[in-house]
Amino acid sequence: TKRSAPAPLREPPRRLARHRGMGLPPSTICHPGGSGGLFLPLFGNDLEAQWPPWLRALLYLIGMLYAFCGISVIADVFMEAIEEITSQEREELNPYGLKVRRKVWNATVANLTL
C-alpha cells in the first residue's frame, strides 16, 4: 500500500499566531470585556483594564511575594515539626549493661519520608 503525503497545514490567522504551537485560542481573561478568571483579575476586567500595565504588574508581584512569604512560614513550621520528631531518643541497654541513648529516627530517612 502506498501512503499519501500528509495534507498541508493551513496557516492560522494572525491573531492565533502566538498560540500556533499549542493549538489553543488566545486567552481573553484579562482583556477588557473578557470573561474573567476564577481569581484574576481581582477587581473585575473593566476596572483593572483601565489601570496602566506597570501598576497591575506591581500589584500582582506584591501579591505573589506575600503568598510566597506565607508559604515559607508554613514550610518553616513544618520543618520544625520534622526536626522535633527526628530528635527523639530512646534509652537502651548495651551488651555490657550500660544505658545508651539512641535516636529513634534516621534523620535522612525521616526528612525524605516526611
Side-chain angles (χ1 to χ4, degrees), residues 20-100:
R20 184 182 323 163
M22 293 188 285
L24 299 172
S27 175
T28 59
I29 289 175
C30 294
H31 293 281
S35 60
L38 184 61
F39 297 110
L40 301 175
L42 291 174
F43 303 107
N45 286 344
D46 297 329
L47 177 65
E48 279 193 28
Q50 297 170 3
W51 297 352
W54 66 267
L55 178 63
R56 292 174 71 182
L58 179 68
L59 291 175
Y60 283 118
L61 178 67
I62 290 170
M64 193 167 55
L65 291 174
Y66 183 76
F68 285 151
C69 286
I71 291 169
S72 71
V73 167
I74 292 169
D76 188 44
V77 169
F78 184 68
M79 285 305 294
E80 201 173 305
I82 289 174
E83 288 173 4
E84 181 68 29
I85 290 170
T86 57
S87 68
Q88 294 176 358
E89 294 180 342
R90 182 183 318 170
E91 285 188 358
E92 296 178 352
L93 291 176
N94 67 7
Y96 302 108
L98 299 173
K99 286 186 179 180
V100 178

